[in-house]
Amino acid sequence: MKSNFEVKEVNTDLLILGGGMAACGAAVEASYWAKKHGLKVTLVDKAAVDRSGAVAMGLSAINQYVGLRDGQNTLEDYVKYVRNDLMGITREDLVANIARHVDSTVHLFEKWGLPIWKDEKGAYVHEGRWQLMINGESYKVIVAEAAKNAIGMENIYERIFIVAPIMDGNTCTGAVGFSVREETFYVFKAKAVLVAMGGAVHVFKPRSSGEGLGRAWYPPWNSGSSAYFTLKAGAEMTCQEVRFIPVRFKDAYGPVGAWFLLFKSRATNGMGGDYMVERKPELENWIPYGHVKPVPANLRNWLMMLDVMEGKGPIYMRTEEAIGKIVAEAGDEKAAKKKLKELESEAWEDFLDMTISQAILWAAQNIAPDQIASEIAAAEPYFIGSHSGASGAWVSGPKDLAPDDYYWGYANMSTVQGLFCAGDASGASSHKFSSGSHAEGRIAAKAAVDFIVDNPGERKYDAKVLEDLKNEILCPLDNYETNYQKTSDPAINPEYIIPKMFMFRLQKIMDEYAGGVSSQFKTSKALLNRGLELLNFLREDSKKLAAPDLHELMRCWENVQRMWQAEAHVRTMLFREETRWPGYYFRSDTPKMDQENWKVFANCKYDPSADKWEMMKRPIHQIVD
Ligand code: SFD
Ligand code: AMP
């Protein structure tokens, strides 16, 4: 019962929410600047920092390394790459800011003990132009250790699920949440808050809806907490329509990057045709981005989806062909044998480092990658500002790079005073991945410390508002307690809805109306409007969510957060009257790209006091020619 809960108050200066890549970067940087100013830094994670977030299982590559030190690339190269991949919709000031700091983050990772592959001459082994190969099973543990050493375990709160912001007008003054281990409600009071609670998964129905339910590419525990928190604070959001659909090895979501880039594999359809070759003329419809190299991720998806829609599946990653080619080039029989062994172990390690279930699936299906091709498929949509998606909060750029209307005082501060965002939580700065998220966390933390130093006064708190938040957040416990005996099956009750059923309803709406897997990623104004009506009913029913214990209470709020991410997404797809990323979603009523009217950011903002949404366009400024 919620009346049993103890309330714990924690007072701090900088509050970091999340314990993933961005948050760990923030912790390391903040501790350095905070010491200089005698400030306190506190970090709160819903899980245990050692293995929390997207990098829990490890990773097999660092996907952002610019190589400025070695003159491999320039910042301009990176900005152009990201601009093109996102079909022109990107904040170049933010991308450049991360890109100029990311290499130093990677060098720190190496110093902390992360094994980065090296060639005979001691140079990093690249997977592709921007990507480095790593032995990354323990990536997160290594990055977490540095964060823990920096701010001290006594300042880290693990297994506390953060729900909502504490606000004083347009200033964020803290956060509230609860422990998933003991009946404690937490009130964190702070002078600045840095949101780094990752992206959102399971907003859409996943491909596996029973047999492998829960398996997803991005982690299911990233549930839209960042988006909910920033929306509820009244922050302007950007690119909420830009979901990411990764192509992955089918059903277990193994990564494809190493196959396409390192092993130079092709993907072919069920008839043996190569969609990247056969469908090339389709790229003309998406000029200028149809002509850029590499072909943008969403257009690569699109060419493949066209094959699938015509019934030309399955699509296969031609692992056997790629390995065969490399082995054939190795030289004599002995060298070829050695090469084959090497490639075999690299292929398995690629999965074992970060997507263990794909290795299990290979074993279960007797797949020897040098002999048999493997199916790949477009996954369900994800919200992730750090990969080839872009959704997140609209944040200030850095003073020296940002055009005037992209700058309001502190790098990575949202439009809410004192509320900073990084990693998946900040939008329009795609392709930061694990390393760039860490670098962006550092950037945001340094700026947040500046904000605290410039604004040292005590913050005001309203006890009634905090009490109301507590009652609202713990309400599902009472909904359950009062009603569970009314039926023989606690999952079905006329008075309440359990989080799993609520999630199924959300996913069905999104799948059918907002362009999920079973709608072939297609939607329209009429579908989106109907989807919004249904989301509205769902929102009414969210008051009836019920939880028998703390874990279910967390799941209640995870699903409320997903629902808010869903609504921001639907509204923004509705607002953008064109199709810009056909391989992410296709608006069948506006099937073409419209450079004249829509080469802009589509932003949105929720006004919590009026319960109203506002949609707005923001201009795109190119800072690189
Ligand atoms: O290639 C709350 N990513 C890859 N990046 C790379 O650099 N190389 C790769 O090889 C990558 N690949 C990849 C990747 C991710 C995954 C899942 C796979 C493969 C299988 C992407 C990166 O991992 C990603 O860009 C960064 O991790 C993003 O960092 P950040 O900090 O924005 O998110 P996070 O690390 O998931 O951390 C989120 C944290 O928030 C906590 N949290 N805490 C309190 N209260 C709440 N309500 C909370 N909700 C969440 C989480 O516990 C976590 O600590 S490849 O295949 O694409
Ligand atoms: P992924 O495994 O798909 O996440 O890819 C890892 C990295 O390689 C990301 O930076 C992708 O954008 C990039 N990538 C994957 N496939 C391709 C491809 N076919 N062409 C160019 N870049 C790719």
Side-chain angles (χ1 to χ4, degrees), residues 18-23 44-47 52-55 59-63 160-162 196-198 217-219 221-222 225 248 255 354-355 386-387 422-424 433-435 437:
M21 292 308 288
V44 188
D45 193 346
K46 79 192 269 193
S52 68
V55 188
L59 294 178
S60 62
I62 287 176
N63 280 350
I160 311 293
F161 185 79
I162 292 294
M197 294 183 282
W217 165 66
Y218 217 49
W221 47 84
N222 277 16
S225 299
R248 288 290 177 264
M354 68 171 162
T355 320
S386 64
H387 203 291
D424 287 334
F433 303 101
S434 61
S435 46
S437 295

Side-chain angles (χ1 to χ4, degrees), residues 63 81 85 127 131 217 244 246-248 255-258 260-261 294-295 297 300 354 387-388 431 433:
N63 280 350
Y81 164 60
D85 197 58
E127 178 183 81
Q131 301 85 0
W217 165 66
F244 177 43
V247 162
R248 288 290 177 264
V256 300
F260 280 133
L261 302 179
V295 176
R300 299 198 297 269
M354 68 171 162
H387 203 291
S388 316
H431 288 270
F433 303 101

Side-chain angles (χ1 to χ4, degrees), residues 59-61 63 81 85 126-128 131 133 215 217-218 244-268 275-276 295-298 300-301 304 315-319 322-323 326 346-355 358-359 362 373-379 387-388 431 433 584:
L59 294 178
S60 62
N63 280 350
Y81 164 60
D85 197 58
H126 277 252
E127 178 183 81
Q131 301 85 0
M133 297 302 292
R215 181 75 200 117
W217 165 66
Y218 217 49
F244 177 43
I245 295 188
V247 162
R248 288 290 177 264
F249 281 85
K250 189 166 174 296
D251 296 330
Y253 299 89
V256 300
W259 284 99
F260 280 133
L261 302 179
L262 185 69
F263 302 138
K264 312 262 181 304
S265 177
R266 292 191 310 151
T268 55
Y275 56 84
M276 292 304 290
V295 176
N298 85 91
R300 299 198 297 269
N301 285 3
M304 172 177 147
I315 306 294
Y316 285 106
M317 178 73 83
R318 300 296 300 274
T319 58
I323 292 183
I326 303 174
E346 283 172 7
W348 284 92
E349 195 205 318
D350 189 41
F351 293 157
L352 289 170
D353 266 357
M354 68 171 162
T355 320
Q358 186 69 55
W362 263 10
S374 286
E375 265 190 88
I376 56 172
H387 203 291
S388 316
H431 288 270
F433 303 101
Y584 290 167

Side-chain angles (χ1 to χ4, degrees), residues 530-593:
R530 178 66 185 139
L532 264 188
E533 283 169 12
L534 295 170
L535 279 175
N536 216 11
F537 291 132
L538 188 66
R539 191 167 148 195
E540 282 173 13
D541 289 349
S542 67
K543 307 269 174 298
K544 302 269 180 161
L545 274 160
D549 56 39
L550 293 169
H551 279 92
E552 281 291 277
L553 182 64
M554 177 180 73
R555 290 179 194 119
C556 288
W557 283 102
E558 285 179 339
N559 285 309
V560 170
Q561 295 179 338
R562 290 184 175 111
M563 178 185 71
W564 279 78
Q565 173 65 83
E567 182 161 352
H569 183 50
V570 170
R571 286 183 183 278
T572 317
M573 284 198 293
L574 200 49
F575 182 58
R576 182 180 280 284
E577 293 180 324
E578 64 159 357
T579 295
R580 182 160 289 263
W581 305 271
Y584 290 167
Y585 72 91
F586 192 90
R587 256 197 65 168
S588 50
D589 52 341
T590 55
K592 293 207 161 84
M593 188 166 71

